[in-house]
Amino acid sequence: MAKIIVVTSGKGGVGKTTTSASFATGLAARGKKTVVIDFDVGLRNLDLIMGCERRVVFDFVNVIQGEANLRQALIKDKNNENLSILAASQTRDKDALSEEGVEKVLNDLAKEFDYIVCDSPAGIERGAHLAMYFADEALVVTNPEVSSVRDSDRVLGLLSSKTHKSEKGEGRVREHLVLTRYNPVRVEKGEMLSVKDVQDILAIPLLGVIPEASAVLTASNSGAPVILDQNNEAGQAYDDLVARFLGEDRPHRFVEVQKKGFLSKLFGG
Amino acid sequence: MTKSRPALEFKGRMLSITRVRILDENPTAIEAQLKTFTRSLGEAAEGLPLLLDAESPVGLKPILAAMRAVGVQPIAVVEGPLSEAARECGLAILTRDMISDGAPRASAPVESVRAAPAPAATPVAPAERRPARVVTEPIRSGQQIYAEASDLIVMTTVSPGAEVIADGCVHVYGPLRGRAIAGARGDVHARVFCRRMEAELMAVAGIYAVADQMKGALRGVAVQAYLKHGVLTIDKLDW
């Protein structure tokens, strides 16, 4: 049975698409057949971050509206055959998504894939609602600042009340906290909320802390999910996150200020 | 295949309205008092909805102008001597039945009236009480939990931007960071209890206090809020 995982946050620009891309890539790298869907109809981004924007012919909305079949619309990742991408339409808006249509596409994908990752748009309106509606699990992406935390809290409320699972009384969506853009130095100075502060407010299990790193932006611009860069802290943190999601026990890294050793001081590492 | 959407969406909302009784028609006196009032409330006064009431007919126009000038919004009058003037100015007229107000008019800092969520009749005698409603899930920002005719017991957190409302008492065993309203239909004996008070607002029978009025030693500790001679009183819960 395929698992549907929504990557959501409420607030925009916190790293949902970055997380979706790296998470899906990480699952595929571990041999799981994975598809990642861009629900941000009208503001298509995922294809850029996955580096497949030049290969988009048909998109999610085409499939929902019966203008193309799934096989035509799914884009296979260049590097990993376990990974497919379903791009959003750039020319339509979120009204083009219907609950029945989304359900049918997800059911069809479930026959073929182990994991279906839904990259939610920001906000709590139609697109975000449909992205989370059929989810089994949710990665709630939060930045260590108060407005992001409050929006995530709002989204957690919706996950517990406005999803298929909760409305049908089939249990609840399993929630995971993903704290992105974390900078221990700034936390220590009191400029950012700490992991503990955020957990205290949201009270859900922590899946991963992704450190603030310039490599994330570079990766996005070059169309290679940052998890592929295992020399980088953010890439390593995403790898830990995927391992933890699949049940491995890994300690959280990059949450404390690193003491600089003699050599790194010397070489500015 | 765009779905057709209805033009209107109706939602029941609890709205807190501050009730203003016009005691003296003199515009200068009114203006002066409004200024002091809004200054004391600070940002909370911006756009504050007001319900006007008076014992005898008064000219509403200058009063409305003075209120709007300081940023508060008169939106309706209580049916009575002001009805005619309100019709002329386009204000709504609320019948006394629509306003369930059990709060004493004594020395409350701000008097407010809570409109019932449904057009229910005002309970005159204490209404029948139902078993308490117990909530074990965290109450998240944007959620509103209302325990009608009963107490509300929340076992976990009430997040900022969430509202917990009961016609009876409200008990919160996790941190209370949102709004807690007890005695929503005017029970002046209702109370709010919480283990860790970081609330945005606490109210009993329409008498409320906002975070700015609950600073200092009360924050972060166990407290109760109740009405003492019509004044909202917040005490630490330690013994």
Side-chain angles (χ1 to χ4, degrees):
Chain A
M1 188 59 200
K3 253 202 181 115
I4 304 176
I5 302 134
V6 60
V7 179
T8 183
S9 69
K11 199 170 173 63
V14 296
K16 281 182 296 299
T17 302
T18 300
T19 298
S20 299
S22 280
F23 182 61
T25 305
L27 287 172
R30 284 176 166 73
K32 311 289 182 194
K33 282 191 68 72
T34 307
V35 57
V36 54
I37 310 176
D38 191 349
F39 271 78
D40 205 348
V41 176
L43 294 167
R44 189 176 101 191
N45 279 171
L46 180 69
D47 53 325
L48 292 170
I49 293 182
M50 298 291 293
C52 65
E53 74 279 10
R54 290 156 187 275
R55 293 188 287 142
V56 178
V57 183
F58 295 110
D59 57 50
F60 191 21
V61 171
N62 293 137
V63 178
I64 284 182
Q65 306 199 335
E67 296 153 1
N69 62 38
L70 263 180
R71 204 165 299 281
Q72 291 171 304
L74 285 175
I75 304 165
K76 272 233 188 299
D77 185 70
K78 290 190 290 272
N79 306 312
N80 192 324
E81 59 166 20
N82 291 323
L83 180 60
S84 295
I85 298 119
L86 188 51
S89 168
Q90 181 73 348
T91 51
R92 312 290 183 86
D93 62 33
K94 283 158 185 91
D95 290 336
L97 298 175
S98 66
E99 195 176 304
E100 305 74 39
V102 170
E103 185 172 24
K104 179 163 188 312
V105 173
L106 291 177
N107 283 338
D108 291 347
L109 289 171
K111 289 173 200 152
E112 245 183 90
F113 291 92
D114 302 322
Y115 290 97
I116 303 171
V117 179
C118 302
D119 180 23
S120 171
I124 51 174
E125 282 75 40
R126 191 172 184 79
H129 168 72
L130 287 172
M132 71 167 67
Y133 190 71
F134 296 100
D136 301 305
E137 309 205 16
L139 305 193
V140 178
V141 182
T142 307
N143 285 170
E145 48 117 359
V146 283
S147 59
S148 173
V149 173
R150 177 172 295 194
D151 289 0
S152 293
D153 192 62
R154 178 90 167 92
V155 161
L156 285 166
L158 297 175
L159 282 167
S160 66
S161 59
K162 296 280 194 302
T163 53
H164 188 264
K165 262 187 166 352
S166 58
E167 285 177 5
K168 298 283 179 288
E170 294 166 3
R172 50 176 307 145
V173 178
R174 211 169 138 218
E175 299 146 342
H176 309 270
L177 176 62
V178 178
L179 201 52
T180 53
R181 297 220 172 122
Y182 197 73
N183 184 335
V185 177
R186 294 187 62 192
V187 170
E188 213 162 66
K189 283 187 200 154
E191 296 170 2
M192 264 187 191
L193 297 178
S194 69
V195 177
K196 196 183 159 295
D197 293 336
V198 178
Q199 270 197 296
D200 185 41
I201 299 170
L202 297 180
I204 58 169
L206 179 67
L207 184 64
V209 178
I210 312 300
E212 194 171 42
S214 56
V216 174
L217 187 64
T218 322
S220 299
N221 286 335
S222 64
V226 70
I227 195 171
L228 295 172
D229 182 359
Q230 281 301 307
N231 294 320
N232 178 265
E233 289 189 344
Q236 295 166 15
Y238 273 117
D239 191 63
D240 285 354
L241 180 151
V242 174
R244 265 183 228 117
F245 184 83
L246 294 174
E248 240 178 85
D249 191 16
R250 288 203 188 176
H252 287 282
R253 298 191 271 174
F254 321 116
V255 292
E256 306 289 340
V257 176
Q258 300 293 311
K259 299 276 178 293
K260 285 206 170 181
F262 171 72
L263 279 176
S264 59
K265 265 184 197 156
L266 206 62
F267 297 112
Chain B
M1 205 183 72
T2 308
K3 272 196 171 176
S4 66
R5 293 190 181 183
L8 300 174
E9 186 177 62
F10 293 92
K11 284 186 174 172
R13 267 309 279 187
M14 307 282 291
L15 172 66
S16 173
I17 302 182
T18 302
R19 183 172 182 166
V20 182
R21 289 158 64 81
I22 301 163
L23 308 172
D24 181 356
E25 205 183 335
N26 175 5
T28 6
I30 287 178
E31 229 166 274
Q33 206 185 332
L34 276 172
K35 278 190 185 139
T36 343
F37 172 73
T38 48
R39 212 176 302 127
S40 73
L41 277 187
E43 276 179 24
E46 189 57 44
L48 189 75
L50 300 182
L51 173 66
L52 311 186
D53 194 3
E55 300 289 321
S56 52
V58 294
L60 272 186
K61 278 192 184 134
I63 297 177
L64 295 185
M67 288 178 163
R68 286 173 182 144
V70 295
V72 295
Q73 308 190 79
I75 58 175
V77 303
V78 180
E79 184 183 37
L82 294 180
S83 295
E84 198 176 320
R87 262 188 284 273
E88 280 169 25
C89 302
L91 285 194
I93 299 161
L94 303 184
T95 62
R96 290 190 190 268
D97 274 356
M98 291 161 80
I99 307 156
S100 58
D101 175 18
R105 300 238 152 75
S107 50
V110 179
E111 191 179 359
S112 86
V113 174
R114 205 152 264 288
T122 315
V124 185
E128 148 219 16
R129 275 288 157 93
R130 296 187 198 149
R133 179 167 176 192
V134 181
V135 180
T136 53
E137 296 279 296
I139 302 176
R140 305 287 185 179
S141 180
Q143 288 182 318
Q144 194 183 45
I145 304 284
Y146 174 45
E148 194 181 350
S150 73
D151 288 352
L152 176 61
I153 299 166
V154 181
M155 303 307 297
T156 59
T157 317
V158 177
S159 291
E163 274 182 22
V164 286
I165 307 166
D167 290 341
C169 296
V170 176
H171 307 253
V172 182
Y173 288 95
L176 168 59
R177 300 188 172 120
R179 299 166 163 236
I181 292 151
R185 299 219 179 190
D187 180 356
V188 293
H189 301 294
R191 295 182 179 210
V192 177
F193 302 89
C194 62
R195 279 235 299 222
R196 194 162 132 199
M197 201 285 288
E198 294 167 23
E200 294 171 335
L201 177 147
M202 289 207 284
V204 174
I207 314 285
Y208 63 85
V210 293
D212 270 359
Q213 299 164 300
M214 304 185 284
K215 285 191 255 192
L218 293 171
R219 287 199 90 73
V221 300
V223 305
Q224 63 161 330
Y226 59 102
L227 291 185
K228 193 166 157 185
H229 312 301
V231 179
L232 188 73
T233 311
I234 302 168
D235 286 343
K236 265 198 210 177
L237 272 181
D238 47 13
W239 54 89

